[in-house]
Amino acid sequence: MTNGNDYLIQKMPLSALLIFALPMIIGNLFQQTYTMADSAIVGRLVGEQALAAVGASYSLTNIFICVAIGGGIGASVIVSRYFGAKEYHKMKLAVYTAFLSFLAVSLLLAVLGLLLGRQIMILLNTPGDVLDMATEYLGIYFLGLPFLFMYNVVSSMFNALGKSRIPLCFLIFSSLFNILLDFCFVKYLNLGVAGVAWATLIAQGISAVLSFWVFLRVLWKLSEQSLNDISDQAVLVACSSPTTTQFFSRDELLSMTRIALPSILQQSIVSIGLMLVQSVVNSFGSQALAGFSAASRVESICIVPMAAIGNAVSSFTAQNIGARKKDRVTAGYHAANKMVISCAVSICLILELFARPITLFFLGDDGTPTAIETSLSYLTFIGWFFCLIGFKMAVDGLLRGAGDMKMFTIANLVNLFIRVTVSMAMAPIFGIGMVWYAVPIGWFTNWAISFSQYRTGKWQKVT
């Protein structure tokens, strides 16, 4: 392949990570923008209860998003290794296996969601005045779940090939189209929370189909380019071999699953914790839920650059291990931590200076005092601690990219346990503020466990 495709194993680590992570950061910010727009539009045009309904649904829907993202990352680690090692036949087989597997998973989860969505909302103590709206939103959301999985898996495959700019284009298109549909369906057609759900389904569906078509063309061009590159005769042989008609491999699926399951856990840890403590927040009423929902959307946006850095470290590690350049991995990890510090300082300044206007963007000037105070309290507190989740995601990304999943999994489970137990045990006694005090404690503990594992150097011996 050309050096343009090999930059993760050729360029200086900081430059390579910036080139790779920046499109993901911008793209994920656009993805969060339309979820933020959903909340802002229903909060301002429909009412605070509608915002609470979307917020109550968000803790559940975000878990499915994280399943798709985490699963895609797990598959991309395998694909990245084959790409770095120039084993292109195995790479293509892994890609096809991933698509077929996640199609089956998404259909299964969609059916389960449609059947059990309302019961889950009841178990989470969703306030009765928003339960029907939350259930309606979820029903439409689950119809589009296969498109959600398709898009996120395709994006991960692009990232595995070092082509993170292509998913960015589709995210920008999807986000802007989604916001346009939000206005049309909510403001002009008066569809309420159902309108933002249909807008997301339509925009995401179109983007997923288009991105899948482009990815197939990229795979085809991989074969075409080899015709003009004598050094890549292995690619030509592999792509023209009769074995390339194979579309599924049990061995490849098992390899992906070994990495994908902990990756799903790591990606879902915030969302699972949010869903489990949602019942605690819900007990404080729909006004507090509306404020917490607004703050949670802002938190999701702030986590975007940290998650992108972690995912970049994962692909960087996998490709360099595949290319037998393990010495570059540590340099890449140190570079990632510098990026985390820069992002964390910027996020802290923005939240401390602009927490009130950000809150009012969601709730409007007529937001209730309880909702506004809840959002302000959370944002001004959590703004100081995003460096912790950044450090956690960077070291988690290295362990995931190296396939060192045991302590990685334990660390993320401990994170989840701390957030849930502290919230559920302390918030009913000392107030809703205990819900967010648990967050940085969980992040720090996760980082400490994963960093200790990194320091042992065992990740270098994992195959």
Side-chain angles (χ1 to χ4, degrees):
M1 299 298 295
T2 65
N3 285 340
N5 290 321
D6 287 350
Y7 64 90
L8 286 177
I9 57 178
Q10 298 290 348
K11 287 184 174 291
M12 293 292 292
L14 181 59
S15 298
L17 287 171
L18 282 172
I19 293 171
F20 186 79
L22 189 58
M24 285 198 296
I25 292 173
I26 296 173
N28 289 337
L29 285 174
F30 269 96
Q31 190 172 39
Q32 291 295 334
T33 295
Y34 75 71
T35 63
M36 183 174 67
D38 288 349
S39 297
I41 289 170
V42 296
R44 286 175 166 269
L45 299 181
V46 183
E48 199 171 89
Q49 285 186 334
L51 173 58
V54 174
S57 306
Y58 178 71
S59 62
L60 177 59
T61 60
N62 208 42
I63 291 177
F64 290 94
I65 294 174
C66 290
V67 170
I69 294 174
I73 290 172
S76 71
V77 168
I78 302 299
V79 173
S80 290
R81 279 191 197 161
Y82 289 145
F83 184 76
K86 301 187 183 299
E87 297 181 43
Y88 299 111
H89 167 59
K90 290 183 178 180
M91 182 194 77
K92 292 177 72 175
L93 179 58
V95 168
Y96 297 143
T97 300
F99 281 130
L100 290 175
S101 300
F102 285 109
L103 173 61
V105 170
S106 66
L107 291 173
L108 175 61
L109 292 178
V111 172
L112 291 176
L114 289 169
L115 294 175
L116 302 175
R118 185 177 184 87
Q119 285 73 19
I120 294 174
M121 287 292 98
I122 293 173
L123 288 174
L124 293 175
N125 297 320
T126 303
D129 55 349
V130 301
L131 179 60
D132 289 339
M133 285 189 288
T135 303
E136 182 182 23
Y137 180 89
L138 282 174
I140 300 169
Y141 175 88
F142 285 123
L143 290 176
L145 202 61
F147 294 121
L148 170 72
F149 270 72
M150 178 190 291
Y151 175 77
N152 281 285
V153 173
V154 171
S155 295
S156 295
M157 295 299 102
F158 276 125
N159 292 336
L161 302 181
K163 297 180 178 294
S164 57
R165 294 183 183 180
I166 297 178
L168 169 62
C169 297
F170 286 106
L171 266 176
I172 293 174
F173 162 76
S174 178
S175 300
L176 296 178
F177 189 42
N178 192 107
I179 294 172
L180 175 63
L181 292 177
D182 279 342
F183 273 107
C184 293
F185 290 167
V186 176
K187 184 173 183 178
Y188 299 109
L189 299 181
N190 298 314
L191 294 179
V193 295
V196 296
W198 281 115
T200 300
L201 187 155
I202 294 171
Q204 208 162 57
I206 293 174
S207 182
V209 172
L210 290 176
S211 62
F212 180 69
W213 177 73
V214 172
F215 181 76
L216 292 180
R217 288 183 60 85
V218 168
L219 283 184
W220 177 77
K221 287 183 179 179
L222 182 66
S223 303
E224 288 292 304
Q225 289 173 357
S226 66
L227 292 172
N228 299 318
D229 192 339
I230 298 176
S231 66
D232 279 340
Q233 288 301 314
V235 180
L236 180 59
V237 172
C239 292
S240 61
S241 170
T243 59
T244 57
T245 57
Q246 185 179 359
F247 291 100
F248 183 84
S249 168
R250 181 174 176 273
D251 291 339
E252 295 296 345
L253 177 60
L254 291 175
S255 297
M256 291 178 195
T257 301
R258 185 174 63 86
I259 297 176
L261 289 180
S263 297
I264 289 170
L265 176 64
Q266 189 264 344
Q267 289 290 315
S268 305
I269 210 72
V270 173
S271 300
I272 292 173
L274 180 60
M275 186 187 74
L276 293 177
V277 302
Q278 188 80 62
S279 59
V280 178
V281 177
N282 290 343
S283 67
F284 289 86
S286 61
Q287 293 180 3
L289 174 58
F292 183 69
S293 299
S296 296
R297 290 302 174 94
V298 178
E299 178 189 11
S300 297
I301 293 173
C302 294
I303 289 174
V304 161
M306 308 306 183
I309 292 170
N311 294 341
V313 171
S314 183
S315 291
F316 181 89
T317 300
Q319 283 201 22
N320 280 280
I321 287 177
R324 294 177 174 80
K325 296 183 177 183
K326 292 184 179 180
D327 57 310
R328 285 175 51 85
V329 174
T330 299
Y333 172 60
H334 292 157
N337 283 331
K338 294 177 182 178
M339 295 167 63
V340 166
I341 293 172
S342 298
C343 292
V345 170
S346 301
I347 290 169
C348 182
L349 289 174
I350 291 171
L351 291 184
E352 295 305 313
L353 294 175
F354 303 106
R356 179 169 288 274
I358 290 172
T359 293
L360 295 179
F361 172 77
F362 290 95
L363 298 172
D365 294 329
D366 56 348
T368 60
T370 298
I372 293 174
E373 179 58 31
T374 299
S375 178
L376 288 176
S377 176
Y378 187 45
L379 292 178
T380 53
F381 172 80
I382 202 64
W384 294 95
F385 300 102
F386 282 102
C387 59
L388 294 179
I389 193 171
F391 293 146
K392 158 195 137 46
M393 287 188 167
V395 71
D396 280 354
L398 186 150
L399 296 178
R400 182 176 59 234
D404 188 359
M405 309 304 292
K406 182 177 179 180
M407 293 306 297
F408 170 102
T409 305
I410 292 173
N412 282 276
L413 285 174
V414 171
N415 181 359
L416 175 61
F417 177 78
I418 289 174
R419 181 166 186 178
V420 172
T421 54
V422 171
S423 298
M424 290 187 168
M426 306 299 285
I429 302 173
F430 298 103
I432 195 173
M434 295 306 300
V435 172
W436 30 98
Y437 294 154
V439 175
I441 299 174
W443 289 346
F444 175 79
T445 306
N446 188 324
W447 168 81
I449 296 172
S450 294
F451 183 73
S452 297
Q453 178 66 10
Y454 160 74
R455 291 287 295 173
T456 66
K458 293 179 180 178
W459 57 270
Q460 298 185 53
K461 302 176 180 64
V462 178
T463 56

